[in-house]
Amino acid sequence: DVNWKLADHPKLPKGKTIGLIVLDGWGESDPDQYNCIHKAPTPAMDSLKDGKPDTWRLIKAHGTAVGLPSEDDMGNSEVGHNALGAGRIYAQGAKLVDLALASGKIYEDEGFKYISQSFEKGTVHLIGLLSDGGVHSRLDQVQLLLKGFAERGAKRIRVHILTDGRDVLDGSSVGFVETLEADLAALRAKGVDAQVASGGGRMYVTMDRYENDWSVVKRGWDAQVLGEAPHKFKSALEAVKTLRAEPGANDQYLPSFVIVDDNGKAVGPIVDGDAVVTFNFRADRMVMHAKALEYKDFDKFDRVRVPDIRYAGMLQYDGELKLPSRYLVSPPLIDRTSGEYLAHNGVRTFACSETVKFGHVTFFWNGNRSGYFNEKLEEYVEIPSDSGISFNVQPKMKALEIAEKARDAILSGKFDQVRVNLPNGDMVGHTGDIEATVVACEAADRAVRTILDAIEQVGGIYVVTADHGNAEDMVKRDKSGKPALDKEGNLQILTSHTLKPVPIAIGGPGLSAGVRFRQDIETPGLANVAATVMNLHGFVAPSDYETSLIEVVEK
Ligand code: 3PG
Ligand code: CO
């Protein structure tokens, strides 16, 4: 039984309006020409930092501080928002899958037993993001699964690949396909009929999120299930090389393709009796696809043919919806999040972002849980994102609209916490377009200003932070920090997140005198923010939460 009642903070008052801003993809790095945050005019963010060592600091947003396997793992929005909201560090999907594979437990659990019933007579299909990005999936895990399935009786294997270029360098898809093809060839040499069946770029095929654009999922369905796509090739390597040679092509947006045999017939449509495993461990970009695969009633697009399959996710992607119902590894059980505590303690919360990040400040923030804890106290507002575009075309995105919604919520007096995610630095940073990312950072900064002004007006408190780095470094670097050139001597633009720390700033007229960041916490990270925010709401955080970042000194 959980005791939901939070103790009163001995020194900090209740009832202050808190504006909680998460800048997505906004890390701290050395100022140079590839640091878009440095290049952009960011007066609002600068004003929180300059000359304010007591109320501005850096915190860790990558690696083990957010539950990832190693310090080489860059942060991402899922683990970042989980840590921010839950106030504790959980072993995340990537690590849980590693452990299950290493111990072999993955093959003893229900999910595997279920799908392996198709090994004798059917085909087992693996679908997911093919890279070593470690954000949604990891190639080495896929390699182990392929081997493990074959050793345990899979006779016919088809892989449906989604090329990355977003968590890894653009162009790296070719190398990942080569690695995969070599593994599949090795399986064939052992008598397993194993090959790639279809593919496409992750942003164009299958991996949409938060119901932004169902046509993305449909394209994947057509290629994977129906065996239909505008492009047909004899091999995945030929497919990726040919499609990348088109002007303006990039891994994230490759069109869909199917692999065909000598008669032009697709080699791996999904049919009755087959098994399907989606090997991404991260949820957000798999939920829509899982609905298409699992739901009997489904009206988002015409599936044409709905095969009778045994389907399992690498993880369960939505614990509330129990979707998918079968999975290979149990997801982290993130419980007693700060949102749930605060709801039990009467704190009224407003949360807002645009579609592409809406689930980040709600679903991820609340421990991968959809919906409200207490409908009477909470309001979540989603501003529709522009869909069907790459965000370098509209780098301002909906920052202004999000800020205005937050401002109105703050001024309404109806909420104690007004929480937003400003997506620009991240979503535009992922396009690798440096000029557009500078515009994006400026837009995010303006949005911050609007929210800070509203907090000023109501005598509130602001907490401004970020979930991980992205826009502060747009180029791949060598060990010494200099831009690393490729074989032809070109810069390699970094579309991915980074290993950088992120800022956190507190302030506003409602902040009690004497509140400052403690200096005695060794390497604090995102998980320390929840207790901090609880303090600023006038509560002591639960004892198992990571320590608060603040202390109150006599002034
Ligand atoms: C994505 O899904 O867009 C990227 O892989 C990770 O970005 P996010 O963690 O910022 O959402
Ligand atoms: Co991102």
Side-chain angles (χ1 to χ4, degrees):
D1 256 17
V2 179
N3 172 16
W4 290 108
K5 180 94 191 77
L6 294 171
D8 295 339
H9 194 281
K11 292 181 180 162
L12 296 173
K14 296 195 172 43
K16 300 287 179 193
T17 307
I18 297 185
L20 183 42
I21 303 174
V22 180
L23 290 144
D24 213 292
W26 190 286
E28 180 80 2
S29 187
D30 297 336
D32 76 2
Q33 55 178 320
Y34 306 111
N35 181 337
C36 294
I37 299 171
H38 165 69
K39 278 179 79 180
T42 52
M45 288 302 286
D46 295 345
S47 74
L48 304 184
K49 173 183 181 184
D50 294 338
K52 300 205 167 108
D54 283 348
T55 54
W56 184 98
R57 69 164 299 156
L58 294 174
I59 51 179
K60 271 186 75 174
H62 80 286
T64 53
V66 286
L68 292 169
S70 84
E71 298 309 323
D72 297 329
D73 289 302
M74 61 199 178
N76 71 69
S77 293
E78 174 194 42
V79 300
H81 285 77
N82 281 170
L84 285 166
R88 284 148 297 155
I89 301 165
Y90 286 87
Q92 288 285 356
K95 187 158 175 191
L96 297 172
V97 173
D98 283 344
L99 294 172
L101 282 165
S103 66
K105 187 161 184 305
I106 196 165
Y107 302 116
E108 285 155 24
D109 287 347
E110 288 308 308
F112 175 76
K113 286 189 185 143
Y114 174 68
I115 58 132
S116 63
Q117 291 170 46
S118 290
F119 281 8
E120 187 61 37
K121 293 197 180 118
T123 302
V124 54
H125 300 261
L126 285 91
I127 306 176
L129 183 65
L130 192 77
S131 82
D132 63 3
V135 174
H136 294 269
S137 66
R138 273 207 346 256
L139 177 57
D140 62 321
Q141 295 177 346
V142 181
Q143 294 179 282
L144 287 174
L145 270 192
L146 283 169
K147 195 163 160 279
F149 285 2
E151 282 168 4
R152 287 164 183 80
K155 301 225 161 34
R156 199 164 179 272
I157 299 177
R158 292 293 178 267
V159 187
H160 303 262
I161 64 170
L162 303 166
T163 53
D164 191 344
R166 187 174 177 90
D167 300 323
V168 290
L169 293 182
D170 181 42
S172 59
S173 61
V174 176
F176 296 130
V177 170
E178 280 168 346
T179 304
L180 175 65
E181 290 281 31
D183 279 27
L184 295 174
L187 290 179
R188 287 196 294 273
K190 287 188 183 148
V192 182
D193 170 7
Q195 54 178 315
V196 175
S198 79
R202 57 174 286 175
M203 297 302 282
Y204 192 63
V205 179
T206 299
M207 283 175 59
D208 189 44
R209 67 178 163 208
Y210 307 142
E211 312 223 347
N212 191 44
D213 184 358
W214 276 101
S215 71
V216 174
V217 183
K218 174 174 170 16
R219 258 176 233 121
W221 181 272
D222 291 350
Q224 297 148 8
V225 179
L226 306 179
E228 290 167 9
H231 299 273
K232 296 181 171 56
F233 294 97
K234 286 286 162 56
S235 83
L237 196 56
E238 182 198 342
V240 171
K241 283 188 171 164
T242 310
L243 295 172
R244 278 197 53 82
E246 294 291 314
N250 80 52
D251 288 351
Q252 296 190 51
Y253 286 93
L254 291 189
S256 59
F257 60 85
V258 292
I259 305 305
V260 294
D261 61 18
D262 292 339
N263 304 316
K265 206 170 149 259
V267 301
I270 300 173
V271 300
D272 288 353
D274 286 353
V276 172
V277 171
T278 48
F279 57 75
N280 287 16
F281 42 74
R282 173 158 153 178
D284 56 346
R285 295 190 183 276
M286 277 288 125
V287 167
M288 295 164 72
H289 185 245
K291 286 179 178 166
L293 284 172
E294 185 146 305
Y295 282 176
K296 271 215 166 63
D297 296 322
F298 179 86
D299 59 5
K300 302 303 181 183
F301 58 83
D302 181 3
R303 290 182 290 186
V304 182
R305 179 171 63 75
V306 184
D308 184 9
I309 54 169
R310 294 189 176 89
Y311 162 46
M314 183 70 106
L315 263 71
Q316 185 167 64
Y317 300 128
D318 190 320
E320 290 294 291
L321 301 175
K322 303 264 180 283
L323 184 78
S325 53
R326 313 277 183 156
Y327 46 91
L328 301 186
V329 177
S330 297
L333 276 181
I334 304 177
D335 63 351
R336 298 184 298 106
T337 60
S338 59
E340 188 162 15
Y341 271 109
L342 291 173
H344 278 284
N345 287 271
V347 170
R348 302 160 304 166
T349 295
F350 177 90
C352 175
S353 190
E354 60 172 282
T355 310
V356 293
K357 293 285 179 182
F358 177 68
H360 290 37
V361 267
T362 54
F363 176 81
F364 284 151
W365 190 275
N366 293 332
N368 304 336
R369 183 186 189 284
S370 27
Y372 295 115
F373 295 112
N374 183 336
E375 242 169 285
K376 293 199 186 82
L377 295 176
E378 292 166 282
E379 185 178 342
Y380 298 166
V381 173
E382 174 185 345
I383 297 176
S385 287
D386 294 318
S387 70
I389 60 157
S390 170
F391 286 104
N392 54 337
V393 181
Q394 297 279 13
K396 296 184 181 168
M397 300 183 68
K398 304 292 177 202
L400 181 67
E401 290 83 346
I402 296 167
E404 286 175 344
K405 278 272 184 286
R407 177 197 62 201
D408 295 348
I410 290 166
L411 299 181
S412 75
K414 288 197 286 198
F415 300 100
D416 305 297
Q417 181 180 117
V418 173
R419 180 170 80 232
V420 299
N421 174 297
L422 297 172
N424 308 63
D426 183 68
M427 293 301 288
V428 187
H430 278 304
T431 68
D433 181 333
I434 294 183
E435 264 169 60
T437 307
V438 172
V439 177
C441 294
E442 182 175 6
D445 188 77
R446 291 221 174 113
V448 170
R449 171 49 63 207
T450 300
I451 298 169
L452 295 182
D453 286 348
I455 286 295
E456 188 74 30
Q457 269 193 57
V458 300
I461 300 171
Y462 60 76
V463 178
V464 183
T465 189
D467 60 341
H468 55 74
N470 185 337
E472 80 288 354
D473 197 6
M474 298 291 287
V475 72
K476 186 175 152 74
R477 295 180 189 270
D478 62 20
K479 289 238 162 58
S480 73
K482 286 203 211 65
L485 304 180
D486 67 11
K487 286 185 223 115
E488 282 88 47
N490 300 314
L491 276 176
Q492 294 171 277
I493 296 300
L494 197 70
T495 51
S496 70
H497 301 167
T498 70
L499 301 170
K500 300 289 184 209
V502 298
I504 178 166
I506 53 172
L511 189 69
S512 301
V515 172
R516 65 174 191 195
F517 284 135
R518 296 166 54 168
Q519 299 303 327
D520 59 342
I521 312 172
E522 253 175 75
T523 59
L526 295 179
N528 298 83
V529 175
T532 310
V533 172
M534 284 172 157
N535 290 171
L536 295 172
H537 279 298
F539 298 104
V540 176
S543 56
D544 63 340
Y545 269 43
E546 295 293 321
T547 11
S548 168
L549 294 167
I550 56 171
E551 61 186 355
V552 190
V553 293
E554 300 302 326
K555 272 264 153 129

